[in-house]
C-alpha cells in the first residue's frame, strides 16, 4: 500500500495505491460518511466555533449556557459578542446578581 502515490499524467494524488503479490493494483479513495449533509456539517461547525469562543469569556464570576433554536447558516460574529458579554458581565456585581436570583432559587 502506498499513501498518496504520484501519478504520471497529472498532479492529482489518490489516497492510496493498493498492490497485491501478483502485481495487480488499484487506487483507493477514502471518504467519511457522517449521515449529515454538507450544509448541516457547516452549520454545526459554525455552532461549535461559536461555543468554543464563548467558552473563552474572561469572566471570573459567571458561566454562560447558550441554547439555540436553529443551527446558524453563517458564521456568527463571535468576537463582537464576546467583547460585549465580557464588558457587561464584568460590570455586574456578582453579589447583587446572586441576590436577584434568590427568589428564583427558593421558590
Amino acid at each position: 500500500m502506498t499513501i498518496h502515490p504520484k501519478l504520471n499524467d497529472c498532479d492529482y494524488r489518490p489516497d492510496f495505491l493498493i498492490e497485491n503479490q501478483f502485481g495487480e493494483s488499484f487506487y483507493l479513495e477514502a471518504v467519511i460518511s457522517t449521515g449529515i449533509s454538507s450544509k448541516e456539517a457547516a452549520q454545526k461547525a459554525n455552532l461549535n466555533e461559536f461555543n468554543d469562543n464563548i467558552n473563552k469569556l474572561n469572566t471570573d464570576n459567571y458561566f454562560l449556557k447558550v441554547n439555540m433554536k436553529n443551527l446558524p447558516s453563517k458564521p456568527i460574529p463571535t468576537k463582537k459578542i464576546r467583547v460585549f458579554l465580557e464588558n457587561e458581565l464584568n460590570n455586574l456585581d456578582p453579589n447583587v446578581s446572586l441576590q436577584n436570583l434568590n427568589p428564583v432559587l427558593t421558590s
Side-chain angles (χ1 to χ4, degrees), residues 3-107:
I3 299 172
H4 294 204
K6 182 166 177 39
L7 301 178
N8 293 332
D9 53 350
C10 69
D11 292 333
Y12 178 75
R13 290 178 175 241
D15 292 329
F16 304 98
L17 171 61
I18 308 296
E19 298 176 275
N20 68 15
Q21 70 269 25
F22 305 111
E24 299 169 324
S25 63
F26 65 93
Y27 295 106
L28 176 68
E29 288 291 315
V31 296
I32 297 174
S33 177
T34 61
I36 62 173
S37 68
S38 57
K39 178 183 176 184
E40 189 176 355
Q43 290 173 326
K44 285 186 177 192
N46 289 335
L47 181 59
N48 290 339
E49 182 180 348
F50 174 78
N51 287 329
D52 289 344
N53 283 306
I54 290 300
N55 286 335
K56 295 176 188 173
L57 279 173
N58 188 16
T59 58
D60 294 329
N61 297 305
Y62 299 96
F63 295 98
L64 294 180
K65 179 179 179 182
V66 178
N67 292 320
M68 292 196 182
K69 289 184 176 186
N70 299 306
L71 290 173
S73 59
K74 296 185 281 189
I76 303 167
T78 315
K79 185 174 182 178
K80 289 180 181 181
I81 294 170
R82 221 174 86 207
V83 168
F84 172 79
L85 289 172
E86 283 178 357
N87 287 335
E88 292 297 313
L89 292 173
N90 287 326
N91 286 328
L92 293 175
D93 181 346
N95 294 320
V96 172
S97 298
L98 189 58
Q99 288 173 355
N100 291 336
L101 282 177
N102 278 339
V104 174
L105 296 175
T106 58
S107 55

